[in-house]
Amino acid sequence: GSYLIFDRSRNRVVAELDKKAGAFRSIQLPAGDYFVKKRLPSAVLIQKIALPEDRTIAVSENQMHTVPYEEDVTKGRPSKTFQPTWKYGSPFLGNTAYTMRRGEKSIGLKSLAYGLNDDVTLLTSFWIPSLSAKYRLLHQNQISLALHSGYSIDVFSLRDTRYTGIFLTTGASVSWRFNPSWVSSMGFDWELESWNKDDSSSESLYSLWGSTTWMPTENDLLQVVGRGTSDSSWTTASRSYAATVQYARRWGRMRAAVGVEYSSFDTRGEWLPVFDLWWRW
C-alpha cells in the first residue's frame, strides 16, 4: 500500500512510499520524531517513530495502531493520538477475532474489558467470578486470527446449592473483513466444566460458531451469531443450538444493543430478549 511519513516537529509530510506485498522499502531520514501512516478505506494506520542517529527502525503494519479519520493527528485533530474508538474495539469482541486497542476500557451491564495492548484484551464478568484473555496472533490485510482462554466459577448455581460450577475455556477465532463495513468470523471453543467440587468428574463441551457483523454507519451495527454445542458423545440428545440477532447504536461514549436470542436443547426451544449497555473511555 501507500505509506506517508509525517515529521512531527515540522508538522508536514516529508516522504511517501508505495510498497508491494512481500517487498521491503527503505528511506533515509534525519534523526527526529515521525508518524508513519497508511490509509485504509475507513480508517488509517499510524505508528509513532523516534528515530535516533545512525539507527535503522523497522516498521510493520501489524504493529501500527488503527485510528479512525476523526483521530488522524496528522490532520491537526485535537483528540489524543490513539483515543479509543467503538468501531474497531469493544464491546463486540466475543464473536470476532478482534482485540481492543491499547488502553481502551469498556464497562457494561454484564462485563468489563480492558485493552492491555493492541494484541491482548482482558475480560471479566460481573455476575460470576471470571477472567479471560484474548491474544491476537495475526492481523494482516483483511484477516485476523486470535486465541482465547479463561476460567469462571458459578457460585450461584441453580442446579443445587451444594454444587459450584467451575469452567475452563479455550479456543480460536478468525475474522475476515470483506469490506470496511462487513466482517465475517468463525471459531471453535472447548470448555471443561465440573459441577461438584467434591467429585473429580468433569465434562468436555465443544462449540462451533459463526458471526456476521455489518456496520452501515460509524454509529450503527448489526450482528448475527449462530452457535452449536455438544459434549464428547456427539449424540443428538447432547447437542444444543443458539442464534442471536442484535442491533447496536452508539452516541458519544455510550453504546446500547437490543436483540433476540433463540436457543434449542433436546428438541426444546425458547426465545430470550438481549439487551446491554456499555460505556467506554
Side-chain angles (χ1 to χ4, degrees), residues 106-176:
S106 174
I107 186 171
L109 299 179
K110 302 176 182 179
S111 61
L112 172 69
Y114 173 70
L116 190 63
N117 56 51
D118 279 1
D119 294 317
V120 179
T121 296
L122 303 178
L123 305 102
T124 186
S125 172
F126 294 136
W127 303 107
I128 58 176
S130 66
L131 179 64
S132 62
K134 178 183 287 186
Y135 176 62
R136 188 176 61 180
L137 294 175
L138 173 69
H139 178 60
Q140 187 172 9
N141 298 326
Q142 290 82 26
I143 298 178
S144 291
L145 174 66
L147 299 178
H148 62 269
S149 183
Y151 82 96
S152 60
I153 303 175
D154 188 356
V155 296
F156 306 107
S157 172
L158 300 178
R159 296 192 180 189
D160 193 310
T161 57
R162 299 171 300 172
Y163 289 88
T164 299
I166 301 175
F167 308 91
L168 300 176
T169 306
T170 188
S173 55
V174 60
S175 292
W176 183 12

Side-chain angles (χ1 to χ4, degrees), residues 70-218:
E70 62 268 22
E71 297 177 26
D72 184 355
V73 292
T74 66
K75 299 295 185 180
R77 306 296 191 238
S79 59
K80 295 180 181 179
T81 304
F82 303 125
Q83 180 181 340
T85 175
W86 279 115
K87 187 167 184 178
Y88 297 98
S90 61
F92 293 93
L93 299 174
N95 303 305
T96 72
Y98 295 123
T99 51
M100 296 171 63
R101 289 159 53 183
R102 179 178 58 193
E104 184 177 7
K105 296 173 285 290
S106 174
I107 186 171
L109 299 179
K110 302 176 182 179
S111 61
L112 172 69
Y114 173 70
L116 190 63
N117 56 51
D118 279 1
D119 294 317
V120 179
T121 296
L122 303 178
L123 305 102
T124 186
S125 172
F126 294 136
W127 303 107
I128 58 176
S130 66
L131 179 64
S132 62
K134 178 183 287 186
Y135 176 62
R136 188 176 61 180
L137 294 175
L138 173 69
H139 178 60
Q140 187 172 9
N141 298 326
Q142 290 82 26
I143 298 178
S144 291
L145 174 66
L147 299 178
H148 62 269
S149 183
Y151 82 96
S152 60
I153 303 175
D154 188 356
V155 296
F156 306 107
S157 172
L158 300 178
R159 296 192 180 189
D160 193 310
T161 57
R162 299 171 300 172
Y163 289 88
T164 299
I166 301 175
F167 308 91
L168 300 176
T169 306
T170 188
S173 55
V174 60
S175 292
W176 183 12
R177 185 179 292 275
F178 288 93
N179 60 54
S181 301
W182 181 21
V183 176
S184 290
S185 306
M186 62 181 301
F188 171 80
D189 296 334
W190 171 72
E191 180 178 83
L192 182 67
E193 66 173 29
S194 175
W195 282 99
N196 190 342
K197 60 184 178 180
D198 300 322
D199 187 356
S200 60
S201 62
S202 58
E203 182 179 13
S204 293
L205 297 178
Y206 304 90
S207 298
L208 289 174
W209 58 268
S211 71
T212 295
T213 305
W214 181 44
M215 296 164 285
T217 72
E218 294 287 336

Side-chain angles (χ1 to χ4, degrees), residues 30-52:
D33 295 326
Y34 300 91
F35 284 119
V36 179
K37 181 174 79 169
K38 179 183 179 181
R39 292 176 62 88
L40 300 177
S42 60
V44 294
L45 298 178
I46 290 182
Q47 183 174 350
K48 280 183 178 180
I49 296 293
L51 181 64

